[in-house]
Amino acid sequence: MPDSSRAKTELPPIPAKRYFTIGEVSELCAVKPHVLRYWEQEFAQLKPVKRRGNRRYYQHHEVLLIRRIRDLLYEQGFTINGARHRLETENSESHATARPPTSVATALAPSAPMEAAALRQELEEIRQLLGPAA
């Protein structure tokens, strides 16, 4: 007989709020607060804002991350290390396709001469529009 606590559960929708308390996140993700605090130590991507009295406030993207971690651990059966590795590879894959090159010199080098020529042309057109210098 399968363990009913590990059965896939329907999680409630995430409200349109900027910050969530640990209690709210606990309910939204069906994970106890002490587990959330533990996951903060295990997953570097999970960094809630801490305010007065060391109270944690999670943002929307962190709630989504917690749901992803929960899915990896509870639904897919990953270990903590396995889930951490999966998140790191997913993150690096998404950044590899979505991010421009990290070096500004690398990003500008091929097009810099063309951009400089275009800027010179634009400046010349602006000078002509302004007319002779006074």
Side-chain angles (χ1 to χ4, degrees), residues 38-118:
Y38 175 69
W39 286 354
E40 287 175 29
Q41 297 171 355
E42 296 297 323
F43 297 93
Q45 306 96 319
L46 191 55
K47 294 278 185 209
V49 176
K50 290 187 182 176
R51 295 209 177 135
R52 38 192 155 95
N54 235 9
R55 291 180 188 228
R56 291 165 169 80
Y57 292 95
Y58 297 85
Q59 295 181 42
H60 187 270
H61 67 91
E62 290 166 325
V63 177
L64 294 173
L65 175 62
I66 291 166
R67 285 186 170 189
R68 179 69 179 128
I69 292 169
R70 181 187 183 282
D71 179 63
L72 289 171
L73 296 176
Y74 295 172
E75 310 298 336
Q76 297 184 35
F78 279 77
T79 62
I80 294 280
N81 283 335
R84 186 183 309 120
H85 180 70
R86 171 62 65 96
L87 289 172
E88 288 169 357
T89 56
E90 286 174 0
N91 195 24
S92 65
E93 288 171 1
S94 68
H95 285 325
T97 58
R99 278 191 159 177
T102 54
S103 166
V104 174
T106 305
L108 294 179
S111 62
M114 290 183 359
E115 287 180 18

Coordinates of all heavy atoms in Angstrom, one line a residue, residues 38-118:
Y38 N 15.4 24.2 7.4 CA 16.4 23.2 7.0 C 16.8 23.4 5.6 O 18.0 23.4 5.2 CB 16.0 21.8 7.3 CG 17.0 20.7 6.9 CD1 18.2 20.6 7.5 CD2 16.7 19.9 5.8 CE1 19.1 19.6 7.1 CE2 17.6 18.9 5.4 CZ 18.8 18.8 6.0 OH 19.7 17.9 5.6
W39 N 15.8 23.5 4.7 CA 16.1 23.6 3.3 C 16.9 24.9 3.0 O 17.7 24.9 2.0 CB 14.8 23.6 2.5 CG 14.2 22.2 2.4 CD1 14.7 21.0 2.8 CD2 12.9 21.9 1.8 NE1 13.9 20.0 2.5 CE2 12.8 20.5 1.9 CE3 12.0 22.7 1.2 CZ2 11.6 19.9 1.4 CZ3 10.8 22.0 0.7 CH2 10.7 20.6 0.8
E40 N 16.7 25.9 3.8 CA 17.5 27.1 3.6 C 19.0 26.8 3.7 O 19.8 27.5 3.1 CB 17.1 28.2 4.6 CG 15.8 28.8 4.3 CD 15.4 29.8 5.4 OE1 16.3 30.4 6.1 OE2 14.2 30.0 5.7
Q41 N 19.3 25.9 4.6 CA 20.7 25.6 4.9 C 21.3 24.7 3.7 O 22.5 24.7 3.4 CB 20.9 24.8 6.2 CG 20.5 25.6 7.4 CD 20.5 24.8 8.7 OE1 20.6 23.6 8.6 NE2 20.3 25.5 9.8
E42 N 20.4 23.9 3.1 CA 20.8 22.9 2.1 C 20.8 23.5 0.7 O 21.6 23.0 -0.1 CB 19.9 21.7 2.2 CG 20.1 20.9 3.5 CD 21.4 20.4 3.7 OE1 22.1 19.9 2.8 OE2 21.9 20.4 4.9
F43 N 20.0 24.4 0.4 CA 19.8 25.0 -1.0 C 20.2 26.4 -1.0 O 19.5 27.3 -0.4 CB 18.4 24.8 -1.5 CG 18.0 23.3 -1.6 CD1 17.3 22.7 -0.5 CD2 18.3 22.6 -2.7 CE1 17.0 21.4 -0.6 CE2 17.9 21.3 -2.8 CZ 17.3 20.7 -1.8
A44 N 21.4 26.7 -1.6 CA 21.9 28.1 -1.6 C 21.0 29.1 -2.3 O 21.0 30.3 -2.0 CB 23.3 28.1 -2.3
Q45 N 20.1 28.6 -3.2 CA 19.3 29.5 -4.0 C 18.1 30.0 -3.1 O 17.5 31.0 -3.4 CB 18.6 28.8 -5.2 CG 19.5 28.1 -6.1 CD 19.7 26.7 -5.8 OE1 19.8 26.3 -4.7 NE2 19.8 25.9 -6.8
L46 N 17.9 29.4 -2.0 CA 16.8 29.7 -1.1 C 17.3 30.7 0.0 O 17.9 30.3 1.0 CB 16.2 28.5 -0.5 CG 14.9 28.6 0.3 CD1 13.8 29.2 -0.6 CD2 14.4 27.2 0.7
K47 N 17.0 32.0 -0.2 CA 17.5 33.0 0.7 C 16.4 34.0 1.0 O 16.3 35.1 0.4 CB 18.7 33.8 0.1 CG 19.9 33.0 -0.1 CD 20.7 32.9 1.2 CE 22.0 32.2 0.9 NZ 22.5 31.5 2.0
P48 N 15.5 33.7 2.0 CA 14.4 34.6 2.3 C 15.0 35.9 2.9 O 16.0 35.8 3.6 CB 13.5 33.8 3.2 CG 14.4 32.8 3.9 CD 15.4 32.5 2.8
V49 N 14.2 37.0 2.8 CA 14.6 38.2 3.4 C 14.4 38.1 4.9 O 13.3 37.5 5.3 CB 13.8 39.4 2.9 CG1 14.1 40.7 3.6 CG2 14.0 39.5 1.4
K50 N 15.3 38.5 5.8 CA 15.1 38.4 7.2 C 14.9 39.9 7.7 O 15.8 40.7 7.5 CB 16.2 37.7 7.9 CG 16.2 36.2 7.6 CD 17.2 35.5 8.4 CE 17.2 34.0 8.1 NZ 18.3 33.3 8.8
R51 N 13.9 40.1 8.5 CA 13.6 41.4 9.0 C 13.5 41.3 10.5 O 14.0 40.4 11.1 CB 12.3 42.0 8.4 CG 12.4 42.2 6.9 CD 11.6 43.3 6.4 NE 11.8 43.5 5.0 CZ 10.9 43.7 4.1 NH1 9.6 43.7 4.5 NH2 11.2 43.9 2.9
R52 N 12.9 42.3 11.1 CA 12.9 42.4 12.6 C 12.6 41.1 13.3 O 11.8 40.3 12.9 CB 11.8 43.4 13.1 CG 10.6 43.4 12.3 CD 9.7 44.6 12.6 NE 8.9 44.8 11.4 CZ 7.7 44.4 11.2 NH1 7.1 43.7 12.2 NH2 7.1 44.6 10.1
G53 N 13.4 40.8 14.3 CA 13.3 39.6 15.1 C 13.7 38.4 14.3 O 13.3 37.3 14.6
N54 N 14.4 38.6 13.2 CA 14.9 37.4 12.4 C 13.7 36.7 11.7 O 13.8 35.6 11.3 CB 15.7 36.5 13.2 CG 17.1 36.2 12.5 OD1 17.5 36.9 11.6 ND2 17.8 35.3 13.0
R55 N 12.6 37.4 11.4 CA 11.5 36.8 10.8 C 11.8 36.7 9.3 O 12.3 37.6 8.7 CB 10.2 37.7 11.0 CG 9.7 37.7 12.4 CD 8.5 38.5 12.5 NE 8.2 38.7 13.9 CZ 6.9 38.5 14.3 NH1 6.0 38.2 13.5 NH2 6.7 38.6 15.6
R56 N 11.4 35.6 8.7 CA 11.6 35.3 7.3 C 10.5 35.8 6.5 O 9.3 35.5 6.8 CB 11.8 33.8 7.1 CG 13.1 33.2 7.7 CD 13.0 31.7 7.8 NE 14.2 31.1 8.1 CZ 14.7 31.1 9.3 NH1 14.1 31.6 10.4 NH2 15.9 30.5 9.6
Y57 N 10.8 36.4 5.3 CA 9.8 36.8 4.4 C 10.2 36.2 3.0 O 11.3 36.6 2.5 CB 9.6 38.3 4.3 CG 9.0 38.8 5.6 CD1 9.8 39.3 6.7 CD2 7.6 38.8 5.8 CE1 9.2 39.7 7.8 CE2 7.0 39.2 7.0 CZ 7.8 39.7 8.0 OH 7.3 40.1 9.2
Y58 N 9.4 35.4 2.4 CA 9.8 34.7 1.2 C 9.1 35.5 0.0 O 8.0 36.0 0.2 CB 9.2 33.3 1.1 CG 9.9 32.4 2.2 CD1 9.4 32.3 3.5 CD2 11.0 31.6 1.8 CE1 10.0 31.5 4.4 CE2 11.6 30.8 2.8 CZ 11.1 30.7 4.1 OH 11.7 29.9 5.0
Q59 N 9.8 35.6 -1.1 CA 9.2 36.2 -2.3 C 8.6 35.1 -3.2 O 8.8 33.9 -3.0 CB 10.3 37.0 -3.0 CG 10.8 38.2 -2.2 CD 11.8 38.9 -3.0 OE1 11.7 39.2 -4.2 NE2 12.9 39.3 -2.3
H60 N 7.8 35.6 -4.2 CA 7.1 34.7 -5.0 C 8.0 33.6 -5.7 O 7.7 32.4 -5.7 CB 6.3 35.5 -6.1 CG 5.4 34.6 -6.9 ND1 5.8 34.0 -8.1 CD2 4.1 34.3 -6.8 CE1 4.8 33.3 -8.6 NE2 3.8 33.5 -7.8
H61 N 9.2 34.0 -6.2 CA 10.1 33.1 -6.8 C 10.6 32.1 -5.9 O 10.9 30.9 -6.2 CB 11.2 33.8 -7.6 CG 12.2 34.5 -6.6 ND1 13.3 33.9 -6.2 CD2 12.2 35.8 -6.1 CE1 13.9 34.8 -5.4 NE2 13.3 35.9 -5.3
E62 N 10.7 32.4 -4.6 CA 11.2 31.5 -3.6 C 10.1 30.4 -3.3 O 10.4 29.3 -3.0 CB 11.6 32.2 -2.3 CG 12.9 33.0 -2.6 CD 13.2 34.0 -1.5 OE1 12.3 34.6 -0.9 OE2 14.5 34.1 -1.2
V63 N 8.9 30.9 -3.3 CA 7.8 29.9 -3.1 C 7.7 28.9 -4.2 O 7.6 27.7 -4.0 CB 6.4 30.7 -3.0 CG1 5.3 29.7 -2.8 CG2 6.4 31.6 -1.8
L64 N 8.0 29.4 -5.4 CA 8.0 28.5 -6.6 C 9.2 27.5 -6.5 O 9.1 26.3 -6.8 CB 8.1 29.3 -7.9 CG 6.9 30.1 -8.3 CD1 7.2 31.0 -9.5 CD2 5.7 29.2 -8.5
L65 N 10.3 28.0 -6.0 CA 11.5 27.2 -5.8 C 11.2 26.1 -4.7 O 11.6 25.0 -4.9 CB 12.7 28.1 -5.4 CG 14.0 27.3 -5.0 CD1 14.5 26.5 -6.2 CD2 15.1 28.3 -4.5
I66 N 10.6 26.5 -3.6 CA 10.2 25.5 -2.6 C 9.3 24.5 -3.1 O 9.5 23.3 -2.8 CB 9.6 26.3 -1.4 CG1 10.7 27.1 -0.7 CG2 9.0 25.3 -0.4 CD1 10.1 28.1 0.3
R67 N 8.4 24.9 -4.0 CA 7.5 23.8 -4.6 C 8.3 22.9 -5.5 O 8.0 21.7 -5.5 CB 6.4 24.5 -5.4 CG 5.3 25.1 -4.4 CD 4.1 25.6 -5.2 NE 3.0 26.0 -4.4 CZ 1.8 26.3 -4.8 NH1 1.6 26.3 -6.1 NH2 0.9 26.6 -3.9
R68 N 9.3 23.5 -6.2 CA 10.1 22.6 -7.0 C 10.9 21.7 -6.2 O 11.1 20.5 -6.5 CB 11.0 23.5 -7.9 CG 12.0 22.7 -8.8 CD 11.2 22.0 -9.9 NE 12.1 21.3 -10.8 CZ 12.0 20.1 -11.1 NH1 11.0 19.3 -10.7 NH2 12.9 19.5 -11.9
I69 N 11.5 22.2 -5.1 CA 12.3 21.3 -4.2 C 11.4 20.2 -3.6 O 11.8 19.0 -3.6 CB 12.9 22.2 -3.1 CG1 14.0 23.1 -3.6 CG2 13.5 21.3 -2.0 CD1 14.5 24.1 -2.7
R70 N 10.2 20.6 -3.2 CA 9.3 19.6 -2.6 C 9.0 18.5 -3.7 O 8.9 17.4 -3.3 CB 8.0 20.3 -2.2 CG 7.0 19.4 -1.6 CD 5.7 20.2 -1.4 NE 4.7 19.4 -0.7 CZ 4.0 18.4 -1.4 NH1 4.1 18.2 -2.7 NH2 3.1 17.7 -0.7
D71 N 8.8 19.0 -4.9 CA 8.5 18.0 -6.0 C 9.6 17.0 -6.2 O 9.4 15.8 -6.3 CB 8.1 18.7 -7.3 CG 7.8 17.7 -8.4 OD1 6.9 17.0 -8.3 OD2 8.6 17.8 -9.4
L72 N 10.8 17.6 -6.2 CA 12.0 16.7 -6.4 C 12.2 15.7 -5.3 O 12.4 14.5 -5.5 CB 13.3 17.6 -6.5 CG 13.4 18.4 -7.8 CD1 14.6 19.3 -7.7 CD2 13.6 17.5 -9.0
L73 N 12.0 16.2 -4.0 CA 12.2 15.3 -2.9 C 11.1 14.4 -2.6 O 11.3 13.2 -2.4 CB 12.5 16.2 -1.6 CG 13.7 17.1 -1.6 CD1 13.8 17.9 -0.4 CD2 15.0 16.2 -1.8
Y74 N 9.9 14.9 -2.6 CA 8.7 14.1 -2.2 C 8.1 13.3 -3.3 O 7.6 12.2 -3.1 CB 7.7 14.9 -1.5 CG 8.1 15.6 -0.2 CD1 7.3 16.5 0.4 CD2 9.4 15.3 0.4 CE1 7.7 17.1 1.6 CE2 9.8 15.9 1.6 CZ 8.9 16.8 2.2 OH 9.3 17.4 3.4
E75 N 8.0 13.9 -4.5 CA 7.3 13.2 -5.6 C 8.2 12.4 -6.4 O 7.8 11.3 -6.8 CB 6.6 14.3 -6.4 CG 5.7 15.3 -5.7 CD 4.5 14.7 -4.9 OE1 4.1 13.6 -5.3 OE2 4.1 15.3 -4.0
Q76 N 9.4 12.9 -6.7 CA 10.3 12.2 -7.6 C 11.3 11.4 -6.9 O 12.1 10.6 -7.5 CB 11.0 13.2 -8.5 CG 10.0 14.0 -9.5 CD 10.8 14.9 -10.4 OE1 11.9 14.6 -10.9 NE2 10.1 16.0 -10.7
G77 N 11.4 11.5 -5.6 CA 12.3 10.6 -4.8 C 13.8 11.0 -4.8 O 14.6 10.1 -4.5
F78 N 14.1 12.2 -5.1 CA 15.5 12.6 -5.1 C 16.0 12.7 -3.6 O 15.2 13.0 -2.7 CB 15.7 14.0 -5.7 CG 15.8 14.0 -7.2 CD1 14.6 13.8 -8.0 CD2 17.0 14.1 -7.9 CE1 14.7 13.8 -9.4 CE2 17.0 14.1 -9.3 CZ 15.9 13.9 -10.0
T79 N 17.3 12.6 -3.5 CA 17.9 12.9 -2.2 C 18.2 14.4 -2.2 O 18.1 15.1 -3.2 CB 19.3 12.2 -2.0 OG1 20.2 12.6 -3.1 CG2 19.1 10.7 -2.1
I80 N 18.6 14.9 -1.0 CA 18.9 16.4 -0.9 C 20.0 16.7 -1.9 O 19.9 17.7 -2.6 CB 19.3 16.7 0.5 CG1 18.2 16.6 1.5 CG2 19.9 18.1 0.6 CD1 17.2 17.7 1.5
N81 N 21.1 15.9 -1.9 CA 22.2 16.1 -2.8 C 21.7 16.0 -4.3 O 22.1 16.8 -5.1 CB 23.3 15.1 -2.6 CG 24.2 15.5 -1.4 OD1 24.2 16.7 -1.0 ND2 24.8 14.5 -0.8
G82 N 20.9 15.1 -4.6 CA 20.4 14.9 -6.0 C 19.6 16.1 -6.4 O 19.7 16.6 -7.5
A83 N 18.7 16.5 -5.5 CA 17.8 17.7 -5.8 C 18.7 18.9 -6.0 O 18.4 19.7 -6.9 CB 16.8 17.9 -4.6
R84 N 19.7 19.1 -5.1 CA 20.5 20.3 -5.2 C 21.2 20.3 -6.6 O 21.3 21.3 -7.3 CB 21.6 20.3 -4.1 CG 22.4 21.5 -4.0 CD 23.5 21.5 -3.0 NE 23.0 21.1 -1.6 CZ 23.4 20.0 -0.9 NH1 24.3 19.2 -1.4 NH2 22.9 19.8 0.3
H85 N 21.8 19.1 -7.0 CA 22.5 19.0 -8.3 C 21.5 19.3 -9.4 O 21.8 20.0 -10.4 CB 23.1 17.6 -8.4 CG 23.8 17.4 -9.7 ND1 25.0 18.0 -10.0 CD2 23.5 16.7 -10.7 CE1 25.4 17.7 -11.2 NE2 24.5 16.8 -11.7
R86 N 20.3 18.7 -9.3 CA 19.3 18.9 -10.4 C 19.0 20.4 -10.5 O 18.9 21.0 -11.7 CB 18.0 18.1 -10.1 CG 16.9 18.4 -11.0 CD 17.1 18.1 -12.5 NE 17.3 16.7 -12.7 CZ 16.4 15.8 -13.1 NH1 15.2 16.2 -13.3 NH2 16.7 14.6 -13.3
L87 N 18.8 21.1 -9.4 CA 18.4 22.5 -9.5 C 19.6 23.3 -10.1 O 19.4 24.3 -10.8 CB 18.1 23.1 -8.1 CG 16.8 22.6 -7.5 CD1 16.6 23.0 -6.0 CD2 15.6 23.1 -8.3
E88 N 20.8 23.0 -9.7 CA 22.0 23.7 -10.2 C 22.1 23.5 -11.7 O 22.4 24.4 -12.5 CB 23.3 23.2 -9.5 CG 23.4 23.7 -8.1 CD 24.5 23.0 -7.3 OE1 25.2 22.1 -7.9 OE2 24.7 23.4 -6.2
T89 N 21.9 22.3 -12.2 CA 22.0 22.0 -13.7 C 20.8 22.7 -14.4 O 21.0 23.3 -15.5 CB 22.0 20.5 -14.0 OG1 20.8 19.9 -13.4 CG2 23.2 19.9 -13.5
E90 N 19.6 22.7 -13.8 CA 18.5 23.4 -14.5 C 18.8 24.9 -14.5 O 18.5 25.5 -15.5 CB 17.2 23.2 -13.7 CG 16.6 21.8 -13.8 CD 15.4 21.6 -12.9 OE1 15.0 22.5 -12.1 OE2 14.8 20.5 -12.9
N91 N 19.3 25.4 -13.5 CA 19.6 26.8 -13.4 C 20.7 27.2 -14.4 O 20.6 28.2 -15.1 CB 20.1 27.2 -12.0 CG 20.0 28.7 -11.8 OD1 19.3 29.4 -12.4 ND2 20.8 29.2 -10.8
S92 N 21.8 26.4 -14.5 CA 22.8 26.7 -15.5 C 22.4 26.6 -16.9 O 22.8 27.3 -17.8 CB 24.1 25.8 -15.2 OG 23.8 24.5 -15.5
E93 N 21.5 25.6 -17.2 CA 21.0 25.4 -18.5 C 20.1 26.6 -18.9 O 20.2 27.1 -20.0 CB 20.2 24.1 -18.6 CG 21.0 22.9 -18.6 CD 20.2 21.6 -18.5 OE1 18.9 21.7 -18.4 OE2 20.8 20.5 -18.4
S94 N 19.3 27.1 -18.0 CA 18.4 28.2 -18.3 C 19.2 29.5 -18.5 O 18.8 30.3 -19.4 CB 17.3 28.4 -17.3 OG 17.8 28.8 -16.1
H95 N 20.2 29.6 -17.7 CA 21.1 30.9 -17.9 C 21.9 30.8 -19.2 O 22.2 31.8 -19.7 CB 22.0 31.1 -16.7 CG 21.2 31.6 -15.5 ND1 20.2 32.5 -15.6 CD2 21.4 31.3 -14.2 CE1 19.7 32.7 -14.4 NE2 20.5 32.1 -13.5
A96 N 22.3 29.6 -19.6 CA 23.1 29.5 -20.8 C 22.4 29.9 -22.0 O 23.0 30.5 -22.9 CB 23.6 28.0 -20.9
T97 N 21.1 29.7 -22.0 CA 20.3 30.1 -23.2 C 19.7 31.5 -23.1 O 19.5 32.2 -24.1 CB 19.2 29.2 -23.5 OG1 18.3 29.1 -22.3 CG2 19.7 27.8 -23.8
A98 N 19.5 32.0 -21.8 CA 18.9 33.3 -21.6 C 19.8 34.5 -21.4 O 19.4 35.6 -21.6 CB 17.9 33.2 -20.5
R99 N 21.0 34.2 -21.0 CA 21.9 35.3 -20.7 C 22.9 35.6 -21.8 O 23.3 34.8 -22.5 CB 22.8 34.9 -19.5 CG 22.1 35.0 -18.2 CD 23.1 34.9 -17.1 NE 22.6 35.5 -15.9 CZ 23.3 35.5 -14.8 NH1 24.4 34.9 -14.7 NH2 22.8 36.1 -13.7
P100 N 23.2 36.9 -21.9 CA 24.3 37.3 -22.9 C 25.6 36.9 -22.3 O 25.7 36.5 -21.2 CB 24.1 38.8 -22.9 CG 23.5 39.2 -21.6 CD 22.6 38.1 -21.2
P101 N 26.7 37.0 -23.1 CA 28.0 36.6 -22.6 C 28.3 37.4 -21.4 O 28.0 38.6 -21.3 CB 28.9 37.0 -23.8 CG 28.1 37.0 -25.0 CD 26.7 37.4 -24.5
T102 N 29.1 36.8 -20.5 CA 29.4 37.5 -19.2 C 30.4 38.6 -19.3 O 30.3 39.6 -18.6 CB 29.9 36.4 -18.2 OG1 31.0 35.8 -18.8 CG2 28.9 35.4 -17.8
S103 N 31.3 38.5 -20.3 CA 32.3 39.5 -20.4 C 31.7 40.7 -21.4 O 31.3 40.4 -22.5 CB 33.6 38.9 -21.1 OG 34.4 40.0 -21.5
V104 N 31.8 41.9 -20.9 CA 31.4 43.0 -21.7 C 32.2 43.1 -22.9 O 31.7 43.4 -24.0 CB 31.4 44.3 -20.8 CG1 31.1 45.5 -21.7 CG2 30.5 44.2 -19.7
A105 N 33.5 42.9 -22.8 CA 34.4 43.0 -23.9 C 34.0 42.0 -25.0 O 34.0 42.3 -26.2 CB 35.9 42.8 -23.5
T106 N 33.7 40.8 -24.5 CA 33.3 39.7 -25.5 C 32.0 40.1 -26.2 O 31.8 39.9 -27.3 CB 33.1 38.4 -24.7 OG1 34.3 38.1 -24.0 CG2 32.8 37.2 -25.7
A107 N 31.1 40.7 -25.4 CA 29.8 41.0 -26.0 C 29.9 42.2 -27.0 O 29.2 42.2 -28.0 CB 28.8 41.4 -24.8
L108 N 30.8 43.1 -26.7 CA 30.9 44.3 -27.6 C 31.9 44.2 -28.7 O 31.8 44.8 -29.7 CB 31.2 45.5 -26.8 CG 30.1 45.9 -25.8 CD1 30.6 47.1 -25.0 CD2 28.8 46.2 -26.5
A109 N 32.9 43.3 -28.5 CA 34.0 43.3 -29.5 C 33.6 43.1 -30.9 O 34.0 43.9 -31.8 CB 35.0 42.2 -29.1
P110 N 32.8 42.2 -31.3 CA 32.5 42.0 -32.7 C 31.7 43.2 -33.3 O 31.9 43.5 -34.5 CB 31.7 40.7 -32.8 CG 31.7 40.1 -31.5 CD 32.2 41.1 -30.5
S111 N 30.8 43.8 -32.6 CA 30.0 44.8 -33.1 C 30.5 46.2 -32.8 O 29.9 47.2 -33.3 CB 28.6 44.6 -32.7 OG 28.5 44.8 -31.3
A112 N 31.5 46.4 -32.0 CA 31.9 47.7 -31.6 C 32.3 48.6 -32.8 O 31.9 49.8 -32.8 CB 33.1 47.6 -30.6
P113 N 33.1 48.2 -33.8 CA 33.4 49.1 -34.9 C 32.2 49.5 -35.6 O 32.1 50.7 -36.0 CB 34.3 48.3 -35.8 CG 34.9 47.2 -34.9 CD 33.8 46.9 -33.9
M114 N 31.2 48.6 -35.8 CA 30.0 49.0 -36.6 C 29.2 50.0 -35.7 O 28.6 50.9 -36.3 CB 29.2 47.7 -36.9 CG 29.8 46.8 -37.9 SD 28.9 45.4 -38.4 CE 27.4 45.3 -37.5
E115 N 29.1 49.7 -34.4 CA 28.3 50.7 -33.6 C 29.0 52.0 -33.6 O 28.3 53.0 -33.6 CB 28.2 50.1 -32.2 CG 27.2 48.9 -32.1 CD 27.1 48.4 -30.7 OE1 27.4 49.1 -29.8 OE2 26.6 47.2 -30.6
A116 N 30.3 52.1 -33.5 CA 31.0 53.4 -33.5 C 30.7 54.1 -34.8 O 30.4 55.3 -34.8 CB 32.5 53.2 -33.3
A117 N 30.7 53.4 -35.9 CA 30.5 54.1 -37.2 C 29.0 54.6 -37.2 O 28.8 55.7 -37.7 CB 30.7 53.1 -38.3
A118 N 28.1 53.8 -36.7 CA 26.7 54.2 -36.7 C 26.5 55.4 -35.8 O 25.8 56.4 -36.2 CB 25.8 53.1 -36.3

